[in-house]
Amino acid sequence: GAGVSQSPSNKVTEKGKDVELRCDPISGHTALYWYRQSLGQGLEFLIYFQGNSAPDKSGLPSDRFSAERTGGSVSTLTIQRTQQEDSAVYLCASTTYLRDEQYFGPGTRLTVT
Amino acid sequence: AQSVTQLGSHVSVSEGALVLLRCNYSSSVPPYLFWYVQYPNQGLQLLLKYTSAATLVKGINGFEAEFKKSETSFHLTKPSAHMSDAAEYFCAVSETGGFKTIFGAGTRLFVKA
């Protein structure tokens, strides 16, 4: 079946602009995660959704970052007033059980110029 | 609190040689443990997972890992490296009752001809 998809695959934006990153999880997966991977770094947890709820937003780096999930499916990560330090690959993953293996999308590479 | 330490950000082996990637974890409760692989410009893919069954876990592409509670380790091995194994490898841990999976910083594996 179809895996996790993310769009766009690449995004170049100017500093100060807003961007939206989209994630389509595997159908039926109730949990969805967002991570940030900076060059040469591991995965930084941003936020997770159980259904449409986000019980823990503590990983979001600043109030410029927000995320939502609608219909228990598609999720959007929004970064307002982008800064150069926001440049990274943003990965989305979904799973059926919170503790279990996660299925990752290919990521969105964000470059802020 | 749970944490993961991967020893060595870079490991280089010759084709046909043993691959050993080290992972130590910290967890206050029995953990689930994972190894993921990331090929260039792709998301992460599960190699194998430990979920409190057999301590020696076999995964895809000839990889295996052994859970050693006394050493709090979950090292990844492969008897004979192949050029196609060149990638970044991440160890991860999740806890009972938790929602978050903690990823190590990653180890980049280089395979020399």
Side-chain angles (χ1 to χ4, degrees):
Chain A
V4 178
S5 62
Q6 293 186 245
S7 61
S9 56
N10 281 284
K11 176 71 176 179
V12 180
T13 190
E14 292 180 353
K15 177 181 173 182
K17 295 286 182 67
D18 298 350
V19 296
E20 284 190 354
L21 312 180
R22 176 188 169 105
C23 172
D24 277 280
I26 292 173
S27 177
H29 280 191
T30 55
L32 184 150
Y33 294 78
W34 283 99
Y35 297 92
R36 181 167 70 175
Q37 186 177 27
S38 302
L39 187 63
Q41 303 294 313
L43 272 68
E44 176 188 5
F45 167 81
L46 297 179
I47 189 171
Y48 92 101
F49 290 88
Q50 180 65 22
N52 292 333
S53 300
D56 189 317
K57 303 178 182 179
S58 62
L60 295 176
S62 74
D63 59 7
R64 297 186 295 104
F65 287 71
S66 63
E68 65 175 13
R69 189 180 186 194
T70 56
S73 181
V74 172
S75 177
T76 303
L77 177 68
T78 301
I79 309 173
Q80 296 179 310
R81 305 182 302 282
T82 52
Q83 304 294 312
Q84 288 187 329
E85 61 262 29
D86 299 334
S87 295
V89 175
Y90 290 82
L91 292 167
C92 173
S94 70
T95 185
T96 302
Y97 303 106
L98 290 176
R99 285 197 69 191
D100 212 343
E101 65 184 277
Q102 297 180 16
Y103 295 81
F104 283 81
T108 294
R109 183 176 298 277
L110 175 66
T111 303
V112 181
T113 61
Chain B
Q2 52 190 347
S3 65
V4 177
T5 301
Q6 291 185 240
L7 299 177
S9 59
H10 296 84
V11 170
S12 182
V13 301
S14 297
E15 192 172 22
L18 171 71
V19 175
L20 171 60
L21 304 182
R22 300 178 187 273
C23 172
N24 288 87
Y25 70 91
S26 171
S27 176
S28 57
V29 298
Y32 281 13
L33 295 162
F34 308 84
W35 275 100
Y36 288 85
V37 61
Q38 185 179 32
Y39 298 103
N41 300 314
Q42 295 185 27
L44 278 68
Q45 174 186 355
L46 183 73
L47 271 179
L48 49 81
K49 65 179 180 181
Y50 166 78
T51 57
S52 74
T55 57
L56 182 61
V57 182
K58 295 187 183 299
I60 62 172
N61 302 338
F63 284 93
E64 62 182 35
E66 186 173 8
F67 171 66
K68 291 187 176 180
K69 184 178 179 180
S70 61
E71 299 177 6
T72 60
S73 69
F74 191 59
H75 302 331
L76 181 71
T77 61
K78 181 174 180 178
S80 177
H82 191 273
M83 297 296 288
S84 61
D85 294 327
E88 186 141 26
Y89 293 79
F90 293 91
C91 182
V93 61
S94 67
E95 289 186 339
T96 304
F99 67 88
K100 190 181 293 187
T101 296
I102 303 299
F103 288 81
T107 297
R108 184 166 295 278
L109 177 66
F110 297 91
V111 182
K112 300 174 291 185

